[in-house]
Amino acid sequence: GGEIPGFATSYIIKDIDGLMIGILGLTTTTTPYSTFPDHVADYDFIDYATALEYIVPQAKEDGADLLIVAGHICYPEIIALAPTLHTLGISVIGGGHCHNDLVGEIVNGVVVIKTTAFMQSYAKVEITYDKVEKEVVSMEPSVYLNENGSPNQAISDVVSYWRTQTDGE
C-alpha cells in the first residue's frame, strides 16, 4: 500500500548535548531475494534516493539538526548515492552488507564509513557542529581493526554449539 510497515521505524532522533541527531535507516534493495522472500513478499523495496527524499523532510520537521544514515548497503551503492546524500543535507552514512570494505573517507561532503564483518573492525567519526549557525564545521572519519582482543567465552560457547548443530556433528 505504499506505507511504511508498522513494525519499522524509518528514523529516530537523539538529543546529544542539545544537538538533535536524526539517525535514518536504509536497507538494501536486494532484500526481497537475499533474505527469506516469504517474510518480505508484502513489501516493496524502493530505491535509496526515493526513500531518503521521502524520510529526510520528516526527520527535519521533527527537529533533526544533523542527519546520519545507518545503511545496510554496500560501498559501491553508497558512493553512487553520495551526491543525493549531500543534496539532502545528510552528513554521514555508514554501510554494512558487503563484508570486504574498510573505508573512512569524505565523498561529496559526506562522510562514508564502512567496516568489515563479524566485529573485526569499527569506524568512528568526529564531528564539530556549530549550534548557533546550525552547520557542520568539520568531520573526521577513521576506521580501525579490532586487534589484540580476547573473545568472550560465553559467546564463543554459543557459537560453537550452533556451529556443531548446523554442521550436523
Side-chain angles (χ1 to χ4, degrees):
E3 297 297 317
I4 295 170
F7 64 83
T9 302
S10 304
Y11 64 92
I12 60 172
I13 298 177
K14 299 297 256 181
D15 181 343
I16 308 294
D17 295 329
L19 179 62
M20 304 305 281
I21 301 175
I23 304 168
L24 293 70
L26 194 63
T27 193
T28 179
T29 55
T30 66
T31 299
Y33 54 88
S34 64
T35 189
F36 296 106
D38 291 346
H39 293 175
V40 295
D42 295 336
Y43 306 106
D44 292 324
F45 290 80
I46 60 176
D47 69 272
Y48 309 123
T50 301
L52 291 170
E53 288 164 355
Y54 178 76
I55 290 301
V56 165
Q58 293 176 31
K60 287 181 178 179
E61 186 176 308
D62 285 346
D65 297 314
L66 177 71
L67 297 171
I68 297 171
V69 173
H72 187 224
I73 62 177
C74 296
Y75 179 72
E77 296 168 303
I78 293 171
I79 295 303
L81 190 58
T84 300
L85 298 169
H86 180 72
T87 299
L88 291 172
I90 295 169
S91 298
V92 178
I93 183 167
H97 184 54
C98 297
H99 296 172
N100 54 350
D101 300 312
L102 183 59
V103 177
E105 62 188 3
I106 298 177
V107 178
N108 286 34
V110 177
V111 169
V112 173
I113 52 176
K114 171 75 182 66
T115 60
T116 56
F118 313 114
M119 298 298 292
Q120 295 171 341
S121 60
Y122 64 97
K124 177 175 117 176
V125 180
E126 291 189 39
I127 300 172
T128 303
Y129 187 88
D130 184 330
K131 292 180 187 177
V132 174
E133 296 296 324
K134 293 194 174 267
E135 65 183 14
V136 173
V137 175
S138 66
M139 299 185 291
E140 186 176 328
S142 51
V143 291
Y144 305 91
L145 292 174
N146 280 328
E147 298 177 317
N148 303 323
S150 313
N152 179 299
Q153 191 57 51
I155 293 172
S156 294
D157 291 346
V158 170
V159 170
S160 293
Y161 170 79
W162 285 107
R163 189 169 279 148
T164 300
Q165 296 300 307
T166 58
D167 288 346
E169 296 180 9

